[in-house]
Amino acid sequence: MRKPLADKIRPRELKDVVGQKHILGEGKILDRILQSGCITNMIFYGPPGIGKTTVANIIAEKGNKKFYKLNATNASLKDIQEIVSSLDTFEGINGILLYLDEIQNFNKKQQQSLLEFIEDGRITLISSTTENPYHYIFKAILSRSTIFEFKPIEKEDMGFALERAVKIISEEEKSINIQLKNEAKDYIINASNGDVRKAINALEISVYSTPPDENYNIVIDLDVARDSTQVKVVSYDMLGDNHYDILSAFQKSIRGSDADASLHYLARLIKAGDLISICRRLLVIASEDIGLAYPNSITIVKSCVDTAMTLGFPEARIPLAQAVILLATSPKSNSVISAIDRALEDLEKKEVGDIPLHIKDAHYSGAKSLSRGIGYKYPHNFKNNYVKQQYLPDNIRERVYYEYGYNKMEQTSREYWNKIKNE
């Protein structure tokens, strides 16, 4: 059985790991930890295929402890109990180093079962996760671990990994000569989106699916690379951290009036097929970030969203793009969300008091005997349909929630009401 190429080229030393220089470079934190030999509890966080497992294996092998490896996807409490039982054996005298891959798949009870042994140092935990550890990992474990964020691999480092893989295959298959064209290498790198494992897998498919020519040359050109990668990998998980990162970048780009960045993140969401999240976020943005600066924006966006939901992909991309460009290029105001949040905050923090009697419901017999509605002034009976009277409860009668935004629409409204109320 042929061993996968990604496993064949897996580095055995930190210096051979591509990327992650911010934590793996000479003199950086993980390098210093390895040199000291004092291995502490660690959590490696980042997208798949960027070296978390490789680095964890390297560090684990350097520890002077009994080494165990579990994948939380298929491990159980029984597996943990078996590991714990070895603490009382001669092999476990120096403690245990447990490498737990995909720790986010362990439930709270499974994570808690490790806590007692992590606390007293009998088990040193090195775990990896593709999800935000602050969302998925038990807080007591977080507080006893150092979190390291792994980042997508840069193009230069990806190229180095592919060249190394070509060299390894060539050394194994001595009868063939592999030629990886630059345009093919660039295509594989771009299609893999920072995931080294996917790039290596694409190269492996390219090599073993391409017959050698009469001179025993296997030429990996652009066409072969395209066939081997098929569709570019887009990093997106409907329930994961990346989902919220993209939506956050999407809204912040629209809020920042950058139409090009807004369209870029829309394209990512479209590529992932996440129509519902796009539509919900656009409707929120129309009120939260544009609001009264352009009140009609929510009407237009609602029409675009309804059209997109009716059409479905791929046509839905067109009305969605229309909504995004409209919102990104519209004047901005957050006066709406600021106003309602101030009002809600008062309900949480203040004793606001009762509704003034004169504006309570008075449409029933006996209301006057309860002083309901007495003294209420009907605004439409007055000039400009306005009369000054108290509406807020006594305790907060002077409270101001809505503040006019600095845009043409709201400033025009402010000038109108200043004129009316001061007459």
Side-chain angles (χ1 to χ4, degrees), residues 230-338:
Q230 295 296 319
V231 179
K232 181 175 180 179
V233 175
V234 177
S235 179
Y236 192 79
D237 179 356
M238 290 283 283
L239 300 176
D241 198 40
N242 190 255
H243 165 80
Y244 297 104
D245 285 344
I246 295 177
L247 285 174
S248 175
F250 180 52
Q251 180 164 0
K252 286 170 182 172
S253 297
I254 293 175
R255 182 184 295 152
S257 303
D258 189 327
D260 298 313
S262 303
L263 287 167
H264 168 76
Y265 293 112
L266 172 65
R268 289 198 187 195
L269 292 164
I270 289 172
K271 191 75 172 175
D274 194 358
L275 181 57
I276 297 298
S277 291
I278 298 170
C279 292
R280 291 183 63 185
R281 191 57 61 112
L282 287 173
L283 289 169
V284 167
I285 293 168
S287 290
E288 180 179 348
D289 295 305
I290 286 78
L292 295 176
Y294 182 27
N296 282 341
S297 66
I298 193 166
T299 305
I300 299 171
V301 169
K302 180 63 166 62
S303 295
C304 289
V305 163
D306 287 346
T307 303
M309 293 294 286
T310 300
L311 291 172
F313 288 129
E315 289 85 355
R317 74 190 189 284
I318 305 168
L320 292 176
Q322 178 182 344
V324 165
I325 295 170
L326 171 78
L327 293 175
T329 57
S330 292
K332 304 297 187 294
S333 173
N334 71 339
S335 61
V336 171
I337 186 173
S338 297

Side-chain angles (χ1 to χ4, degrees), residues 25 27 41 52 56 84 94 103-104 111 125 148 185 195 201-202 217 229 265 280 292 306 317 339 347 357:
N41 300 313
K52 300 188 302 296
V84 168
N94 292 323
I103 188 176
Q104 76 274 5
Q111 292 185 38
L125 178 67
F148 296 96
K185 180 170 72 173
D195 187 328
N201 289 343
N217 293 319
T229 53
Y265 293 112
R280 291 183 63 185
L292 295 176
D306 287 346
R317 74 190 189 284
L347 292 180
L357 287 172

Side-chain angles (χ1 to χ4, degrees), residues 344-386:
L344 289 168
E345 184 179 17
D346 274 2
L347 292 180
E348 291 289 331
K349 297 182 178 180
K350 295 179 182 292
E351 182 58 50
V352 295
D354 198 13
I355 298 170
L357 287 172
H358 64 283
I359 62 170
K360 284 189 174 184
D361 179 27
H363 291 89
Y364 57 92
S365 63
K368 285 189 177 181
S369 65
L370 297 175
S371 300
R372 274 21 176 205
I374 297 175
Y376 172 64
K377 299 173 184 177
Y378 187 59
H380 297 296
N381 291 337
F382 295 84
K383 181 182 178 181
N384 297 316
N385 303 306
Y386 173 77

Side-chain angles (χ1 to χ4, degrees), residues 360-410:
K360 284 189 174 184
D361 179 27
H363 291 89
Y364 57 92
S365 63
K368 285 189 177 181
S369 65
L370 297 175
S371 300
R372 274 21 176 205
I374 297 175
Y376 172 64
K377 299 173 184 177
Y378 187 59
H380 297 296
N381 291 337
F382 295 84
K383 181 182 178 181
N384 297 316
N385 303 306
Y386 173 77
V387 61
K388 186 174 182 179
Q389 63 184 324
Q390 181 182 334
Y391 294 98
L392 281 170
D394 287 341
N395 292 358
I396 54 170
R397 68 167 64 91
E398 303 299 329
R399 192 76 168 94
V400 175
Y401 295 119
Y402 173 61
E403 296 179 355
Y404 293 96
Y406 291 97
N407 55 78
K408 183 178 179 180
M409 183 69 70
E410 289 184 87

